[in-house]
Amino acid sequence: MKYSGIILDKREYEIIKALIHPIAESANLMNSCIFRLKEELKTAEIIENPDSFPKDVIRLNSIVDVGTPFGVMKIQLVLPEHSNSEQKRISILTPMGSALIGYAEKDKIMWDFPNGTHEVEILKVVHSQFR
């Protein structure tokens, strides 16, 4: 891991916290990724000034090349209301979205997915505004 923990923009941190709170409180096994993200938020580095946010760290709307055991995928990490699988816009509340947020380029992450635990590698991060 490039940094000591995940890094989040303060505004995005508040949005994510509000989104996951009701989900993380349920005992549903499908929400284990949300529970893990909730735990990561406790030790996240919060960046107050958006201009000083590291360019290599994934944030909302980032376009990311991700290496998985099944190949390389290019996705954009978005809020749930903007997700669209055909356009490769992945919600922060999906297993892949919750795995990636706050991590940096070249990080390798072991995460629980519906088909088991897998390692994903962040190959490239480009910050983007939602289109």
Side-chain angles (χ1 to χ4, degrees):
M1 183 175 208
K2 184 171 186 177
Y3 300 102
S4 61
I6 66 170
I7 299 174
L8 297 169
D9 169 84
K10 183 176 181 172
R11 184 183 66 81
E12 292 177 5
Y13 168 80
E14 295 298 332
I15 291 169
I16 294 167
K17 239 172 76 170
L19 280 172
I20 68 171
H21 177 73
I23 298 168
E25 297 303 314
S26 79
N28 185 337
L29 191 58
M30 284 296 287
N31 295 325
S32 65
C33 60
I34 302 298
F35 178 78
R36 184 168 167 191
L37 177 58
K38 181 180 177 185
E39 291 301 305
E40 286 190 322
L41 291 180
K42 293 177 183 177
T43 59
E45 179 182 345
I46 309 302
I47 304 294
E48 300 275 342
N49 179 356
D51 294 333
S52 62
F53 196 86
K55 300 290 183 216
D56 62 345
V57 173
I58 298 170
R59 60 187 304 171
L60 286 173
N61 300 317
S62 292
I63 297 171
V64 185
D65 291 344
V66 182
T68 74
F70 313 105
V72 175
M73 5 181 331
K74 181 184 287 280
I75 61 169
Q76 184 173 24
L77 192 61
V78 296
L79 292 171
E81 61 268 22
H82 300 296
S83 66
N84 181 316
S85 60
E86 290 177 7
Q87 296 175 342
K88 306 289 189 214
R89 292 183 180 151
I90 306 298
S91 167
I92 182 70
L93 299 181
T94 63
M96 181 63 79
S98 62
L100 296 176
I101 190 74
Y103 282 94
E105 219 169 80
K106 307 299 180 214
D107 279 349
K108 294 181 180 180
I109 308 148
M110 292 299 293
W111 204 261
D112 295 328
F113 294 93
N115 63 348
T117 302
H118 300 286
E119 181 179 79
V120 295
E121 180 179 7
I122 301 166
L123 304 173
K124 183 177 178 184
V125 177
V126 176
H127 291 190
S128 172
Q129 295 298 316
F130 180 75
R131 300 182 229 189

